[in-house]
Amino acid sequence: MNIKEQVVTFDCVGETLVGVACVPEQARSIGVIVVVGGPQYRVGSHRQFLLLSRTLASAGYPVLRFDYRGMGDSDGELRNFESVDDDIGAAIDAFVSQYPEVTRVVLWGLCDAASASLLYFDARRDGRVAGLCLLNPWVRSDTSLAKTHMKHYYGQRLFQRNFWKKFLTGKIEVVKAISGFISNWRITRKAVGAKARKTEKEVFQNRMARASRDFKGSVIFILSGNDYTAKEFDQYVADHSMWHEVFDKPSLNRVTVPKADHTFSSAAWRADVARCTLDWLMHVDGVDGEVRVAVAGRGE
């Protein structure tokens, strides 16, 4: 299918945002907005967002990828993922206005852009959002990071022959290593049995869980098999009951790309993500009755 790409500019609270729309010759009624996490712009690491847009548009789905205020070619001051509700809302408004064939949208985001997508829905409850495609969501806290290191770094290193070889030959800074271990252990112990305390500002992780729970559309989590952010997300989900109900929802899908790193840096991993996204998107659109998201390891 023939596609065209064109620059789209639109207003966001008095600032001009810049994006690129990739539109098929015969567009379907559901479009995709690529929410870009920071610090990067709309092309994405390894050109992933650009290539994904072309793949989805070739299948009939219009795509808009854009820069937040303060990033890329957009005006304004730089802000973090907890402060981009206006940016995402403005992008949706511009997309459906400029392309009236688009009546529903899917938000697609990697890392803190996945978190920002959930936070947007929690704040706005935008009925135009039909689906959420969330890759390696960011849920970072001191406790979750410490637990992830204890389980996936220190826990595995102790069983690696190479670690003990370096240890015995003095190639590892023993004091530094022990200090790091103790620091992480103390953080995790401090969290055990701690009572929940009310704070003036609700933690963003709880808002993400609430949005995932309340969202009526389809959600897919795509996780990298070799990424601490993804492992930290799994740990956070396991430790917090708010997330348990989320993962029991029949409308939720989950897939792991086995050996992929955080940004899906190989062409094979990016192809896996594109295929999973398209299969799921067709399901959301009612084109296909089954979500075919099983991904085999490619050994890369």
Side-chain angles (χ1 to χ4, degrees), residues 6 12 75 77 82 90 146 148 248 252 254 277 283:
Q6 58 189 98
C12 176
D75 295 338
E77 295 183 2
E82 295 184 69
T148 302
D248 287 337
L252 185 140
R254 172 188 169 124
T277 300
H283 175 75

Side-chain angles (χ1 to χ4, degrees), residues 34-45:
V34 176
V35 180
V36 178
Q40 62 178 321
Y41 79 123
R42 60 186 180 272
V43 172
S45 301

Side-chain angles (χ1 to χ4, degrees), residues 26 62 166 293:
Q26 297 180 342
K166 289 182 177 180
V293 293

